Amino acid sequence: QVQLVESGGGLVQAGGSLRLSCAAAVRTFSGYAMGWFRQAPGKEREFVAAVNWSGGTTSYADSVKGRFTISRENAKNTLYLQMNSLKPEDTAVYYCAAKDGAFSISITRYNYWGQGTQVTVSS
């Protein structure tokens, strides 16, 4: 069982930055691939970024590539999402998720989810 708690969301002006964190309560954090997803009002939840167990392999949605950076610190059981050059269209609830085994960008592959943190970008 994996429990995930996101933090770091908030209100920011367009062009600004935020850093999201996801604390994992699990015995072996390095045994899980991790991902960030987001859901805007009236839209389906979508992939943002993913990272493999070691942090050595990452993938990003085209909409955030070059602006967002996913990373993890296994010694602290923590996942991060550094978000720069934020745009109003980045406004959403951001969720971290964990999955057993191999790295994936597919939302359906993730077994464990946090409760989400709101990010609002004003124009």
Side-chain angles (χ1 to χ4, degrees):
Q1 191 74 4
V2 181
Q3 293 183 317
L4 303 171
V5 179
E6 302 95 335
S7 60
L11 174 65
V12 64
Q13 288 189 331
S17 298
L18 281 175
R19 188 194 198 200
L20 304 183
S21 298
C22 173
V26 62
R27 177 173 290 184
T28 312
F29 182 60
S30 59
Y32 296 84
M34 300 294 296
W36 286 100
F37 298 81
R38 67 186 182 187
Q39 188 166 17
K43 295 187 176 182
E44 293 187 353
R45 195 170 298 188
E46 65 177 7
F47 167 74
V48 175
V51 62
N52 76 332
W53 70 274
S54 68
T57 301
T58 58
S59 183
Y60 297 91
D62 288 343
S63 59
V64 307
K65 203 170 292 183
R67 299 188 298 122
F68 290 11
T69 302
I70 188 171
S71 62
R72 63 190 297 162
E73 196 166 354
N74 287 344
K76 294 186 176 181
N77 282 19
T78 304
L79 175 74
Y80 303 101
L81 185 68
Q82 178 67 45
M83 305 187 294
N84 299 329
S85 303
L86 283 161
K87 304 176 181 180
E89 51 264 43
D90 294 318
T91 295
V93 177
Y94 283 71
Y95 299 89
C96 72
K99 69 174 297 294
D100 302 308
F103 168 90
S104 175
I105 66 170
S106 173
I107 191 171
T108 61
R109 299 285 186 177
Y110 284 79
N111 312 97
Y112 307 100
W113 292 84
Q115 83 289 348
T117 185
Q118 176 71 47
V119 171
T120 303
V121 184
S122 63
S123 57

